[in-house]
mmCIF file of all heavy atoms in Angstrom:
data_model
loop_
_atom_site.group_PDB
_atom_site.id
_atom_site.type_symbol
_atom_site.label_atom_id
_atom_site.label_comp_id
_atom_site.label_asym_id
_atom_site.label_seq_id
_atom_site.Cartn_x
_atom_site.Cartn_y
_atom_site.Cartn_z
ATOM 1 N N ALA A 1 42.395 -124.893 34.944
ATOM 2 C CA ALA A 1 43.293 -124.456 33.865
ATOM 3 C C ALA A 1 43.727 -123.000 34.050
ATOM 4 O O ALA A 1 44.919 -122.635 33.793
ATOM 5 C CB ALA A 1 42.567 -124.632 32.488
ATOM 6 N N ASP A 2 42.746 -122.207 34.457
ATOM 7 C CA ASP A 2 43.037 -120.777 34.712
ATOM 8 C C ASP A 2 44.039 -120.621 35.827
ATOM 9 O O ASP A 2 44.933 -119.848 35.810
ATOM 10 C CB ASP A 2 41.712 -120.016 35.007
ATOM 11 C CG ASP A 2 41.956 -118.563 35.149
ATOM 12 O OD1 ASP A 2 42.610 -117.824 34.238
ATOM 13 O OD2 ASP A 2 41.675 -117.977 36.280
ATOM 14 N N PHE A 3 43.801 -121.397 36.875
ATOM 15 C CA PHE A 3 44.668 -121.360 38.099
ATOM 16 C C PHE A 3 46.149 -121.740 37.655
ATOM 17 O O PHE A 3 47.125 -121.063 37.953
ATOM 18 C CB PHE A 3 44.159 -122.414 39.147
ATOM 19 C CG PHE A 3 45.302 -122.850 40.081
ATOM 20 C CD1 PHE A 3 45.847 -121.922 41.021
ATOM 21 C CD2 PHE A 3 45.832 -124.125 40.026
ATOM 22 C CE1 PHE A 3 46.898 -122.359 41.868
ATOM 23 C CE2 PHE A 3 46.842 -124.558 40.778
ATOM 24 C CZ PHE A 3 47.409 -123.650 41.769
ATOM 25 N N ILE A 4 46.240 -122.841 36.892
ATOM 26 C CA ILE A 4 47.566 -123.328 36.424
ATOM 27 C C ILE A 4 48.237 -122.158 35.581
ATOM 28 O O ILE A 4 49.401 -121.918 35.869
ATOM 29 C CB ILE A 4 47.549 -124.632 35.692
ATOM 30 C CG1 ILE A 4 47.156 -125.760 36.676
ATOM 31 C CG2 ILE A 4 48.832 -124.940 34.962
ATOM 32 C CD1 ILE A 4 46.739 -127.106 36.075
ATOM 33 N N SER A 5 47.531 -121.639 34.676
ATOM 34 C CA SER A 5 48.126 -120.586 33.829
ATOM 35 C C SER A 5 48.585 -119.350 34.658
ATOM 36 O O SER A 5 49.675 -118.753 34.484
ATOM 37 C CB SER A 5 47.286 -120.138 32.610
ATOM 38 O OG SER A 5 46.221 -119.430 33.055
ATOM 39 N N LYS A 6 47.780 -118.972 35.636
ATOM 40 C CA LYS A 6 48.074 -117.833 36.617
ATOM 41 C C LYS A 6 49.261 -118.124 37.444
ATOM 42 O O LYS A 6 50.129 -117.362 37.622
ATOM 43 C CB LYS A 6 46.931 -117.340 37.375
ATOM 44 C CG LYS A 6 45.823 -116.621 36.527
ATOM 45 C CD LYS A 6 44.903 -115.839 37.429
ATOM 46 C CE LYS A 6 44.054 -114.788 36.714
ATOM 47 N NZ LYS A 6 43.194 -115.336 35.619
ATOM 48 N N ALA A 7 49.311 -119.412 37.958
ATOM 49 C CA ALA A 7 50.463 -119.795 38.734
ATOM 50 C C ALA A 7 51.738 -119.760 38.007
ATOM 51 O O ALA A 7 52.803 -119.289 38.521
ATOM 52 C CB ALA A 7 50.226 -121.193 39.385
ATOM 53 N N ILE A 8 51.705 -120.199 36.777
ATOM 54 C CA ILE A 8 52.910 -120.188 35.967
ATOM 55 C C ILE A 8 53.414 -118.750 35.685
ATOM 56 O O ILE A 8 54.565 -118.432 35.829
ATOM 57 C CB ILE A 8 52.666 -120.862 34.544
ATOM 58 C CG1 ILE A 8 52.530 -122.406 34.764
ATOM 59 C CG2 ILE A 8 53.792 -120.641 33.610
ATOM 60 C CD1 ILE A 8 52.019 -123.182 33.564
ATOM 61 N N LEU A 9 52.418 -117.826 35.321
ATOM 62 C CA LEU A 9 52.849 -116.459 35.142
ATOM 63 C C LEU A 9 53.445 -115.832 36.398
ATOM 64 O O LEU A 9 54.365 -115.037 36.352
ATOM 65 C CB LEU A 9 51.641 -115.673 34.616
ATOM 66 C CG LEU A 9 51.096 -115.969 33.181
ATOM 67 C CD1 LEU A 9 49.745 -115.412 32.930
ATOM 68 C CD2 LEU A 9 52.165 -115.575 32.125
ATOM 69 N N PHE A 10 52.802 -116.241 37.459
ATOM 70 C CA PHE A 10 53.204 -115.692 38.818
ATOM 71 C C PHE A 10 54.680 -116.118 39.047
ATOM 72 O O PHE A 10 55.540 -115.307 39.419
ATOM 73 C CB PHE A 10 52.325 -116.227 39.909
ATOM 74 C CG PHE A 10 52.932 -116.270 41.298
ATOM 75 C CD1 PHE A 10 53.161 -115.074 41.940
ATOM 76 C CD2 PHE A 10 53.293 -117.466 41.810
ATOM 77 C CE1 PHE A 10 53.747 -115.114 43.172
ATOM 78 C CE2 PHE A 10 53.822 -117.426 43.092
ATOM 79 C CZ PHE A 10 54.063 -116.230 43.778
ATOM 80 N N TYR A 11 54.975 -117.369 38.854
ATOM 81 C CA TYR A 11 56.357 -117.905 39.178
ATOM 82 C C TYR A 11 57.365 -117.310 38.164
ATOM 83 O O TYR A 11 58.490 -117.108 38.523
ATOM 84 C CB TYR A 11 56.335 -119.465 39.180
ATOM 85 C CG TYR A 11 56.053 -119.987 40.523
ATOM 86 C CD1 TYR A 11 55.000 -120.943 40.696
ATOM 87 C CD2 TYR A 11 56.767 -119.613 41.656
ATOM 88 C CE1 TYR A 11 54.772 -121.459 41.965
ATOM 89 C CE2 TYR A 11 56.474 -120.076 42.921
ATOM 90 C CZ TYR A 11 55.508 -120.992 43.061
ATOM 91 O OH TYR A 11 55.152 -121.472 44.312
ATOM 92 N N LYS A 12 56.924 -117.078 36.941
ATOM 93 C CA LYS A 12 57.850 -116.525 35.944
ATOM 94 C C LYS A 12 58.153 -115.040 36.397
ATOM 95 O O LYS A 12 59.277 -114.646 36.220
ATOM 96 C CB LYS A 12 57.237 -116.487 34.552
ATOM 97 C CG LYS A 12 57.336 -117.861 33.935
ATOM 98 C CD LYS A 12 56.864 -117.957 32.470
ATOM 99 C CE LYS A 12 57.158 -119.181 31.872
ATOM 100 N NZ LYS A 12 56.381 -119.536 30.684
ATOM 101 N N GLU A 13 57.139 -114.377 36.993
ATOM 102 C CA GLU A 13 57.463 -113.027 37.425
ATOM 103 C C GLU A 13 58.264 -113.007 38.736
ATOM 104 O O GLU A 13 59.128 -112.206 38.957
ATOM 105 C CB GLU A 13 56.127 -112.270 37.724
ATOM 106 C CG GLU A 13 56.361 -110.805 38.034
ATOM 107 C CD GLU A 13 54.994 -110.062 38.321
ATOM 108 O OE1 GLU A 13 54.132 -110.285 37.401
ATOM 109 O OE2 GLU A 13 55.008 -109.312 39.222
ATOM 110 N N MET A 14 57.995 -114.050 39.507
ATOM 111 C CA MET A 14 58.727 -114.154 40.840
ATOM 112 C C MET A 14 60.210 -114.514 40.599
ATOM 113 O O MET A 14 61.072 -114.070 41.346
ATOM 114 C CB MET A 14 58.074 -115.242 41.628
ATOM 115 C CG MET A 14 58.555 -115.305 43.054
ATOM 116 S SD MET A 14 57.598 -116.649 43.864
ATOM 117 C CE MET A 14 58.194 -116.578 45.473
ATOM 118 N N SER A 15 60.473 -115.258 39.567
ATOM 119 C CA SER A 15 61.842 -115.715 39.357
ATOM 120 C C SER A 15 62.207 -115.727 37.883
ATOM 121 O O SER A 15 62.316 -116.742 37.223
ATOM 122 C CB SER A 15 61.990 -117.176 39.892
ATOM 123 O OG SER A 15 63.266 -117.602 39.777
ATOM 124 N N PRO A 16 62.310 -114.454 37.297
ATOM 125 C CA PRO A 16 62.464 -114.403 35.830
ATOM 126 C C PRO A 16 63.632 -115.153 35.361
ATOM 127 O O PRO A 16 63.651 -115.605 34.250
ATOM 128 C CB PRO A 16 62.572 -112.865 35.643
ATOM 129 C CG PRO A 16 62.810 -112.220 36.895
ATOM 130 C CD PRO A 16 62.335 -113.216 37.998
ATOM 131 N N LYS A 17 64.730 -115.259 36.189
ATOM 132 C CA LYS A 17 65.917 -115.852 35.672
ATOM 133 C C LYS A 17 65.992 -117.320 36.011
ATOM 134 O O LYS A 17 66.842 -118.107 35.617
ATOM 135 C CB LYS A 17 67.160 -115.195 36.205
ATOM 136 C CG LYS A 17 67.380 -113.777 35.680
ATOM 137 C CD LYS A 17 68.674 -113.193 36.094
ATOM 138 C CE LYS A 17 68.753 -112.761 37.494
ATOM 139 N NZ LYS A 17 67.984 -111.591 37.840
ATOM 140 N N GLY A 18 65.035 -117.833 36.845
ATOM 141 C CA GLY A 18 65.007 -119.161 37.393
ATOM 142 C C GLY A 18 64.454 -120.199 36.491
ATOM 143 O O GLY A 18 64.113 -119.912 35.323
ATOM 144 N N PHE A 19 64.350 -121.367 36.946
ATOM 145 C CA PHE A 19 63.614 -122.451 36.259
ATOM 146 C C PHE A 19 64.305 -122.863 34.962
ATOM 147 O O PHE A 19 63.675 -123.331 34.098
ATOM 148 C CB PHE A 19 62.174 -122.079 36.023
ATOM 149 C CG PHE A 19 61.499 -121.600 37.287
ATOM 150 C CD1 PHE A 19 60.963 -120.351 37.411
ATOM 151 C CD2 PHE A 19 61.412 -122.417 38.426
ATOM 152 C CE1 PHE A 19 60.282 -119.921 38.547
ATOM 153 C CE2 PHE A 19 60.812 -122.027 39.513
ATOM 154 C CZ PHE A 19 60.191 -120.792 39.603
ATOM 155 N N ASN A 20 65.630 -122.688 34.813
ATOM 156 C CA ASN A 20 66.193 -123.094 33.491
ATOM 157 C C ASN A 20 66.841 -124.411 33.657
ATOM 158 O O ASN A 20 66.887 -125.191 32.646
ATOM 159 C CB ASN A 20 67.208 -122.165 32.899
ATOM 160 C CG ASN A 20 67.379 -120.840 33.723
ATOM 161 O OD1 ASN A 20 66.627 -120.755 34.612
ATOM 162 N ND2 ASN A 20 68.279 -119.986 33.402
ATOM 163 N N LEU A 21 67.300 -124.737 34.826
ATOM 164 C CA LEU A 21 68.113 -125.925 35.065
ATOM 165 C C LEU A 21 67.249 -127.180 34.590
ATOM 166 O O LEU A 21 67.680 -128.000 33.884
ATOM 167 C CB LEU A 21 68.477 -126.030 36.570
ATOM 168 C CG LEU A 21 69.114 -127.419 36.895
ATOM 169 C CD1 LEU A 21 70.536 -127.429 36.320
ATOM 170 C CD2 LEU A 21 69.177 -127.586 38.345
ATOM 171 N N LEU A 22 66.052 -127.262 35.119
ATOM 172 C CA LEU A 22 65.247 -128.483 34.835
ATOM 173 C C LEU A 22 64.619 -128.377 33.387
ATOM 174 O O LEU A 22 64.340 -129.395 32.845
ATOM 175 C CB LEU A 22 64.129 -128.618 35.894
ATOM 176 C CG LEU A 22 64.687 -128.959 37.314
ATOM 177 C CD1 LEU A 22 63.527 -128.935 38.295
ATOM 178 C CD2 LEU A 22 65.384 -130.270 37.397
ATOM 179 N N ASP A 23 64.469 -127.232 32.956
ATOM 180 C CA ASP A 23 63.944 -127.075 31.556
ATOM 181 C C ASP A 23 64.722 -127.882 30.560
ATOM 182 O O ASP A 23 64.274 -128.487 29.663
ATOM 183 C CB ASP A 23 63.969 -125.564 31.085
ATOM 184 C CG ASP A 23 62.739 -124.871 31.585
ATOM 185 O OD1 ASP A 23 61.859 -125.486 32.079
ATOM 186 O OD2 ASP A 23 62.649 -123.656 31.385
ATOM 187 N N LYS A 24 66.080 -127.881 30.731
ATOM 188 C CA LYS A 24 66.925 -128.561 29.808
ATOM 189 C C LYS A 24 66.736 -130.053 29.879
ATOM 190 O O LYS A 24 67.137 -130.787 29.008
ATOM 191 C CB LYS A 24 68.399 -128.154 30.020
ATOM 192 C CG LYS A 24 68.702 -126.687 29.834
ATOM 193 C CD LYS A 24 70.128 -126.397 30.229
ATOM 194 C CE LYS A 24 70.355 -124.871 30.237
ATOM 195 N NZ LYS A 24 71.130 -124.411 31.246
ATOM 196 N N MET A 25 66.293 -130.548 31.049
ATOM 197 C CA MET A 25 66.302 -131.954 31.307
ATOM 198 C C MET A 25 65.030 -132.651 31.010
ATOM 199 O O MET A 25 64.990 -133.810 30.753
ATOM 200 C CB MET A 25 66.709 -132.234 32.788
ATOM 201 C CG MET A 25 68.087 -131.611 33.021
ATOM 202 S SD MET A 25 68.696 -132.162 34.609
ATOM 203 C CE MET A 25 67.622 -131.276 35.709
ATOM 204 N N LEU A 26 63.909 -131.982 31.341
ATOM 205 C CA LEU A 26 62.560 -132.547 31.277
ATOM 206 C C LEU A 26 61.838 -132.283 30.056
ATOM 207 O O LEU A 26 61.532 -131.024 29.883
ATOM 208 C CB LEU A 26 61.804 -132.204 32.563
ATOM 209 C CG LEU A 26 62.514 -132.480 33.867
ATOM 210 C CD1 LEU A 26 61.502 -132.175 35.099
ATOM 211 C CD2 LEU A 26 62.915 -133.971 34.023
ATOM 212 N N PRO A 27 61.321 -133.207 29.379
ATOM 213 C CA PRO A 27 60.535 -132.845 28.169
ATOM 214 C C PRO A 27 59.133 -132.478 28.548
ATOM 215 O O PRO A 27 58.756 -132.641 29.701
ATOM 216 C CB PRO A 27 60.579 -134.182 27.362
ATOM 217 C CG PRO A 27 60.776 -135.236 28.415
ATOM 218 C CD PRO A 27 61.597 -134.596 29.467
ATOM 219 N N GLY A 28 58.317 -132.083 27.611
ATOM 220 C CA GLY A 28 56.900 -131.887 27.888
ATOM 221 C C GLY A 28 56.545 -130.429 28.087
ATOM 222 O O GLY A 28 57.214 -129.776 28.965
ATOM 223 N N ASN A 29 55.629 -129.908 27.327
ATOM 224 C CA ASN A 29 55.204 -128.481 27.476
ATOM 225 C C ASN A 29 53.830 -128.159 27.950
ATOM 226 O O ASN A 29 53.464 -127.063 27.891
ATOM 227 C CB ASN A 29 55.508 -127.817 26.104
ATOM 228 C CG ASN A 29 56.937 -127.823 25.647
ATOM 229 O OD1 ASN A 29 57.822 -127.667 26.483
ATOM 230 N ND2 ASN A 29 57.165 -128.185 24.418
ATOM 231 N N ALA A 30 53.172 -129.240 28.345
ATOM 232 C CA ALA A 30 51.807 -128.921 28.849
ATOM 233 C C ALA A 30 51.911 -128.023 30.040
ATOM 234 O O ALA A 30 52.886 -128.112 30.839
ATOM 235 C CB ALA A 30 51.164 -130.237 29.295
ATOM 236 N N PRO A 31 50.928 -127.102 30.217
ATOM 237 C CA PRO A 31 51.098 -126.137 31.326
ATOM 238 C C PRO A 31 51.226 -126.758 32.720
ATOM 239 O O PRO A 31 52.112 -126.331 33.580
ATOM 240 C CB PRO A 31 49.735 -125.323 31.261
ATOM 241 C CG PRO A 31 49.334 -125.445 29.841
ATOM 242 C CD PRO A 31 49.817 -126.726 29.407
ATOM 243 N N SER A 32 50.531 -127.857 32.905
ATOM 244 C CA SER A 32 50.637 -128.430 34.261
ATOM 245 C C SER A 32 52.052 -129.086 34.505
ATOM 246 O O SER A 32 52.533 -129.017 35.668
ATOM 247 C CB SER A 32 49.504 -129.594 34.447
ATOM 248 O OG SER A 32 49.707 -130.600 33.504
ATOM 249 N N ILE A 33 52.723 -129.584 33.381
ATOM 250 C CA ILE A 33 54.016 -130.099 33.504
ATOM 251 C C ILE A 33 54.942 -128.965 33.851
ATOM 252 O O ILE A 33 55.942 -129.056 34.638
ATOM 253 C CB ILE A 33 54.461 -130.780 32.205
ATOM 254 C CG1 ILE A 33 53.533 -132.020 31.880
ATOM 255 C CG2 ILE A 33 55.927 -131.261 32.233
ATOM 256 C CD1 ILE A 33 53.734 -133.245 32.619
ATOM 257 N N GLU A 34 54.763 -127.795 33.184
ATOM 258 C CA GLU A 34 55.608 -126.600 33.479
ATOM 259 C C GLU A 34 55.455 -126.179 34.911
ATOM 260 O O GLU A 34 56.514 -125.907 35.541
ATOM 261 C CB GLU A 34 55.090 -125.476 32.485
ATOM 262 C CG GLU A 34 56.185 -124.353 32.377
ATOM 263 C CD GLU A 34 55.821 -123.348 31.407
ATOM 264 O OE1 GLU A 34 54.930 -123.541 30.569
ATOM 265 O OE2 GLU A 34 56.407 -122.241 31.407
ATOM 266 N N LEU A 35 54.269 -126.224 35.421
ATOM 267 C CA LEU A 35 54.087 -125.815 36.816
ATOM 268 C C LEU A 35 54.752 -126.896 37.767
ATOM 269 O O LEU A 35 55.275 -126.480 38.774
ATOM 270 C CB LEU A 35 52.617 -125.728 37.122
ATOM 271 C CG LEU A 35 52.225 -125.223 38.582
ATOM 272 C CD1 LEU A 35 52.826 -123.920 38.869
ATOM 273 C CD2 LEU A 35 50.778 -125.121 38.751
ATOM 274 N N GLU A 36 54.721 -128.132 37.360
ATOM 275 C CA GLU A 36 55.386 -129.226 38.098
ATOM 276 C C GLU A 36 56.851 -128.865 38.298
ATOM 277 O O GLU A 36 57.499 -128.925 39.368
ATOM 278 C CB GLU A 36 55.287 -130.577 37.477
ATOM 279 C CG GLU A 36 53.904 -131.191 37.696
ATOM 280 C CD GLU A 36 53.671 -132.412 36.820
ATOM 281 O OE1 GLU A 36 54.707 -132.953 36.280
ATOM 282 O OE2 GLU A 36 52.492 -132.858 36.678
ATOM 283 N N LYS A 37 57.500 -128.415 37.240
ATOM 284 C CA LYS A 37 58.941 -128.041 37.310
ATOM 285 C C LYS A 37 59.126 -126.894 38.210
ATOM 286 O O LYS A 37 60.192 -126.915 38.986
ATOM 287 C CB LYS A 37 59.469 -127.667 35.823
ATOM 288 C CG LYS A 37 59.590 -128.860 34.919
ATOM 289 C CD LYS A 37 60.254 -128.460 33.561
ATOM 290 C CE LYS A 37 59.238 -128.420 32.487
ATOM 291 N NZ LYS A 37 59.838 -127.947 31.195
ATOM 292 N N MET A 38 58.311 -125.864 38.135
ATOM 293 C CA MET A 38 58.486 -124.668 38.962
ATOM 294 C C MET A 38 58.335 -125.080 40.451
ATOM 295 O O MET A 38 59.088 -124.626 41.305
ATOM 296 C CB MET A 38 57.419 -123.674 38.551
ATOM 297 C CG MET A 38 57.783 -123.136 37.219
ATOM 298 S SD MET A 38 56.417 -121.988 36.586
ATOM 299 C CE MET A 38 57.303 -121.162 35.219
ATOM 300 N N ILE A 39 57.361 -125.902 40.747
ATOM 301 C CA ILE A 39 57.115 -126.287 42.132
ATOM 302 C C ILE A 39 58.314 -127.176 42.607
ATOM 303 O O ILE A 39 58.729 -126.967 43.764
ATOM 304 C CB ILE A 39 55.749 -127.052 42.281
ATOM 305 C CG1 ILE A 39 54.616 -125.938 42.206
ATOM 306 C CG2 ILE A 39 55.687 -127.813 43.624
ATOM 307 C CD1 ILE A 39 53.147 -126.619 42.246
#
């Protein structure tokens, strides 16, 4: 769980403007689902 939350924060810092395209399309807010979108 700690790994997933750190990976999400890392990707948000790496690409602050990114990751919006799929956000609009895929439901679900669990951290692991969020990381799936980023990957």
Side-chain angles (χ1 to χ4, degrees):
D2 182 58
F3 157 70
I4 289 169
S5 70
K6 284 196 167 60
I8 290 169
L9 291 169
F10 157 72
Y11 273 125
K12 281 185 172 159
E13 187 177 317
M14 188 176 181
S15 183
K17 292 191 285 289
F19 309 120
N20 357 356
L21 174 73
L22 293 174
D23 275 352
K24 293 176 190 137
M25 301 188 291
L26 304 183
N29 297 318
S32 61
I33 301 282
E34 199 175 342
L35 185 57
E36 284 170 15
K37 286 187 250 178
M38 292 171 163
I39 285 177

